[in-house]
Amino acid sequence: MTVAELDLDLDIFAGPFDLLMAVVLREEVNLLDLQLGEVVVAYIEHLEAEGELELEAATEFLVLIAALLELKSRLLLPGAEEEIDELGPEEAVEELLARLLEYRRFRAAAAMLSGRFDAARGYLYRTAPLPPSLRRVAVDAATAAYDPDRLGTALGDLLVVPPPVDISHIRPTVSLERRLRALRDALSGRASIDFDEQFGGEDRLTQAVTLFALLELYRKGEVTWKQSEPLGPIEIRRQETV
């Protein structure tokens, strides 16, 4: 069951849970009048009726309820009303979505770490206890377990300076800020440039980041581009700012 399938029948609202979230964020329902405990009870009763629990849907419900609880607690705390009034419906929606996406990122990271731990479980080691022959006996009565020369060789290997680490396979970092500067410098004093002529000699990663920088300049209204045919040359034109 998804959160959207939860049907509520409350004193001040009747309908699906996702609609309740929408009317609360649009301030059509006063959050102070909404009993969030009734929403939780309705969700639990629905789970009992279904007889199954989907962890992903349940976790999403908990995140949304926690966000509503935080917003309601801010309204109830003294001096917090002005701060909530400054938060418009669209900003409240963005805040809830940002928190939900952040939760999903952390859940994905936890799943990845758990998978790596399970994959490396066969390589984990534990400190072994002392052999039975060395337990509760004097040092003079202990027998050598390893050859002293072997121990000396092992300690000598620790003193050898290891060779430098080969980092030739690591690709250099390409920042968006540098590619923005490169585009602006290329268009400085010129009305237009050809993308392939200007950046065709760069590696694929640099070209990809340059395309992102081109989209950013287009969003800011600094440049536009033209491509007469598919896979044809891309002409970048500088727009005059008013």
Side-chain angles (χ1 to χ4, degrees):
M1 182 203 71
T2 62
V3 177
E5 297 176 359
L6 177 61
D7 195 17
L8 301 174
D9 187 9
L10 309 176
D11 295 337
I12 62 173
F13 175 82
F17 180 75
D18 56 348
L19 179 59
L20 174 63
M21 294 291 298
V23 296
V24 167
L25 295 175
R26 292 199 301 262
E27 299 181 352
E28 297 177 5
V29 171
N30 191 349
L31 186 58
L32 294 176
D33 298 333
L34 179 62
Q35 299 296 328
L36 296 178
E38 297 180 1
V39 179
V40 176
V41 171
Y43 182 72
I44 295 176
E45 291 178 349
H46 188 86
L47 290 180
E48 292 178 350
E50 292 290 332
E52 60 179 356
L53 174 64
E54 295 184 9
L55 292 180
E56 183 175 354
T59 308
E60 181 180 357
F61 175 79
L62 291 176
V63 171
L64 295 175
I65 283 294
L68 290 177
L69 283 172
E70 181 179 355
L71 292 176
K72 187 172 183 178
S73 65
R74 291 181 183 178
L75 289 172
L76 294 173
L77 291 175
E81 184 174 357
E82 295 181 358
E83 180 181 353
I84 293 300
D85 289 340
E86 296 177 358
L87 189 64
E90 296 182 357
E91 296 176 348
V93 172
E94 293 178 357
E95 181 179 356
L96 287 177
L97 290 177
R99 294 185 181 183
L100 184 58
L101 291 175
E102 183 179 6
Y103 150 73
R104 289 182 176 178
R105 286 195 296 268
F106 278 104
R107 185 182 63 182
M112 180 194 67
L113 292 177
S114 178
R116 289 190 175 184
F117 180 80
D118 293 337
R121 186 182 297 273
Y123 303 96
L124 300 179
Y125 64 91
R126 294 178 296 178
T127 302
L130 287 174
S133 59
L134 297 180
R135 298 177 186 175
R136 297 182 181 180
V137 296
V139 177
D140 297 337
T143 58
Y146 297 102
D147 184 5
D149 294 336
R150 182 179 178 184
L151 178 61
T153 302
L155 293 176
D157 293 339
L158 295 177
L159 301 177
V160 177
V161 179
V165 179
D166 183 13
I167 59 174
S168 59
H169 63 284
I170 301 178
R171 306 184 68 176
T173 302
V174 183
S175 65
L176 182 62
E177 290 77 9
R178 292 182 179 178
R179 302 318 299 169
L180 286 171
R181 192 182 309 116
L183 279 169
R184 290 190 176 108
D185 292 343
L187 288 169
S188 178
R190 302 169 64 181
S192 65
I193 60 174
D194 185 277
F195 184 88
D196 292 334
E197 293 180 358
Q198 192 70 31
F199 305 106
E202 304 286 353
D203 58 89
R204 297 184 63 182
L205 177 61
T206 303
Q207 292 186 23
V209 179
T210 306
L211 286 176
F212 279 109
L214 180 60
L215 292 176
E216 180 67 16
L217 292 181
Y218 177 78
R219 185 183 66 85
K220 295 181 178 180
E222 297 184 27
V223 301
T224 184
W225 63 82
K226 178 181 179 182
Q227 189 176 28
S228 302
E229 57 182 358
L231 303 179
I234 301 176
E235 181 185 2
I236 306 173
R237 299 178 180 178
R238 178 165 52 90
Q239 288 187 336
E240 297 296 336
T241 57
V242 180

